[in-house]
């Protein structure tokens, strides 16, 4: 039996889960932890790359190569399929085509592309602007036509719900599916009824619910979302936000107390770190090599 591609592994995970939870991993080590505890799909946020790797806001200020650097690190560390946020595709049809080819080459299982203008904003912020339906369809067609792996999973994200309402967003979703998208990412949806209407509007095609904290969408449970048509549930930056607060607490404690005693219980232990990294396997190999050298 031939080995599944990254896209194939994602499709298999999607078939076996209802819905499939997709967790954000902003670096290789977080991806390793997510994989170890049993998650079947992971995600790299464009905002996460901008914030975590470059110290920039999520305002379309990073490039394809910036994102690819983190894609390569993550896919080199884990087998769990990775979905990547490619924002608006970084340009016209040729740029989008190159992006999909590069993402596949670097080991991504799929991506989502959105209908905001190039000067994009976070999907849960006000004053977003979106392109025409026709331009979004062209983006999706460019992405789909660029596939070098038939299983590479292309998700069309629409921000039209917040801008133009449910009917317009569903119309865009239908057009994107007709253009070849494998699923729909309905951004900044407010209620479970809206998800149900989206699902009905796309005839039960794959629907992603973005359950990000501190945004426009309540923190619905997976069972609620499954009952209302979502087949994928995304948590793009949950671990990142938790890690940020933990780090801030440590920095403040060191200045305040002069030591880390008050916060050491909030830290991952050295032995747990080594366990996730398989440190001892490497060390034993090193010991064996040294022993072999001594016996020569």
């Amino acid at each position: 039996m031939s080995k599944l591609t990254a896209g194939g592994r994602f499709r298999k995970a999607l078939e076996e889960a209802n819905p499939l939870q997709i967790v954000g991993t902003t670096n290789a080590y977080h991806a390793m932890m997510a994989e170890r505890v049993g998650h079947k799909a992971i995600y790299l946020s464009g905002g996460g790359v901008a914030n975590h790797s470059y110290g920039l806001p999520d305002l379309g200020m990073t490039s394809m190569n910036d994102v690819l650097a983190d894609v390569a690190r993550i896919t080199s560390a884990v087998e769990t399929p990775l979905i990547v946020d490619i924002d608006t595709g970084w340009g016209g049809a040729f740029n989008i085509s190159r992006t999909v080819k590069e993402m596949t080459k670097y080991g991504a299982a799929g991506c989502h592309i959105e209908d905001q203008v190039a000067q994009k904003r976070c999907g849960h912020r006000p004053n977003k602007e979106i392109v025409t339906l026709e331009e979004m369809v062209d983006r999706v067609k460019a992405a789909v036509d660029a596939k070098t792996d038939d299983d590479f999973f292309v998700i069309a994200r629409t921000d039209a719900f917040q801008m133009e309402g449910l009917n317009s967003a569903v119309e865009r979703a239908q057009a994107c599916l007709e253009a070849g998208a494998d699923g729909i990412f309905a951004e900044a949806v407010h209620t479970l009824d809206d998800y149900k209407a989206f699902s009905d509007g796309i005839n039960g095609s794959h629907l992603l619910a973005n359950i990000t904290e501190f945004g426009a969408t309540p923190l619905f449970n997976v069972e609620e979302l499954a009952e209302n048509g979502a087949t994928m549930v995304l948590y793009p930056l949950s671990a990142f936000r938790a890690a940020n607060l933990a780090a801030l607490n440590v920095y403040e404690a060191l200045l305040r107390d002069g030591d880390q005693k008050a916060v050491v219980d909030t830290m991952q232990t050295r032995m747990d770190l080594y366990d996730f990294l398989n440190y001892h396997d490497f060390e034993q190999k090193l010991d064996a090599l040294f022993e072999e050298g001594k016996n020569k």
Side-chain angles (χ1 to χ4, degrees):
M1 181 181 291
S2 60
K3 184 179 179 182
L4 289 174
T5 64
R9 294 197 300 277
F10 180 79
R11 288 176 186 270
K12 184 173 185 292
L14 189 55
E15 288 174 3
E16 294 175 349
N18 182 35
L20 177 63
Q21 292 179 299
I22 307 172
V23 294
T25 55
T26 54
N27 57 58
Y29 183 62
H30 282 188
M32 293 173 75
M33 289 196 291
E35 182 175 74
R36 177 76 71 88
V37 303
H39 283 287
K40 302 302 182 183
I42 57 177
Y43 174 75
L44 182 61
S45 158
V49 172
N51 304 160
H52 180 94
S53 297
Y54 294 94
L56 293 170
D58 182 20
L59 291 169
M61 299 166 69
T62 47
S63 69
M64 178 189 73
N65 287 334
D66 293 334
V67 175
L68 282 172
D70 282 339
V71 171
R73 294 182 182 113
I74 291 169
T75 59
S76 294
V78 297
E79 287 291 309
T80 305
L82 175 71
I83 298 297
V84 182
D85 176 2
I86 65 168
D87 290 338
T88 62
W90 294 292
F94 293 145
N95 302 76
I96 294 168
S97 176
R98 179 167 177 252
T99 295
V100 168
K101 287 180 168 63
E102 291 294 292
M103 291 293 159
T104 307
K105 184 169 74 175
Y106 278 74
C111 67
H112 67 74
I113 187 166
E114 66 195 57
D115 58 1
Q116 285 198 50
V117 298
Q119 291 298 315
K120 59 153 289 174
R121 298 170 185 252
C122 168
H124 289 255
R125 296 294 299 159
N127 301 321
K128 296 181 295 184
E129 294 291 339
I130 56 176
V131 298
T132 64
L133 183 151
E134 291 75 19
E135 184 170 343
M136 180 55 181
V137 166
D138 286 345
R139 287 179 181 178
V140 172
K141 286 180 178 177
V144 171
D145 290 346
K147 287 187 184 184
T148 54
D149 169 19
D150 288 341
D151 284 336
F152 188 85
F153 203 86
V154 175
I155 302 169
R157 167 179 149 176
T158 179
D159 286 71
F161 178 86
Q162 197 174 41
M163 306 303 300
E164 299 178 351
L166 177 64
N167 291 339
S168 175
V170 169
E171 181 185 5
R172 282 176 177 251
Q174 292 169 339
C176 289
L177 289 168
E178 290 172 6
D182 297 295
I184 296 298
F185 177 160
E187 180 63 305
V189 170
H190 298 156
T191 71
L192 291 170
D193 287 342
D194 291 329
Y195 279 118
K196 182 65 165 62
F198 248 107
S199 179
D200 290 345
I202 59 176
N203 298 316
S205 295
H206 285 299
L207 177 64
L208 182 147
N210 182 20
I211 307 302
T212 187
E213 304 80 18
F214 317 113
T217 305
L219 304 184
F220 297 122
N221 184 269
V222 287
E223 293 182 1
E224 294 176 306
L225 291 163
E227 289 169 359
N228 288 279
T231 60
M232 299 172 279
V233 183
L234 177 64
Y235 311 89
L237 291 169
S238 305
F240 171 68
R241 297 188 207 282
N244 290 347
L245 182 57
L248 181 62
N249 288 338
V250 170
Y251 297 144
E252 291 176 341
L254 288 170
L255 281 177
R256 181 184 67 243
D257 302 333
D259 61 51
Q260 64 271 56
K261 294 172 187 173
V263 293
V264 74
D265 287 344
T266 69
M267 299 180 188
Q268 185 179 56
T269 67
R270 183 186 299 271
M271 293 309 296
D272 283 345
L273 173 70
Y274 286 178
D275 181 47
F276 279 106
L277 292 171
N278 299 311
Y279 176 90
H280 295 294
D281 291 343
F282 287 98
E283 193 171 59
Q284 288 168 10
K285 179 64 174 177
L286 193 61
D287 290 343
L289 290 171
F290 277 127
E291 189 64 31
E292 184 180 313
K294 289 178 185 178
N295 294 332
K296 284 185 178 179

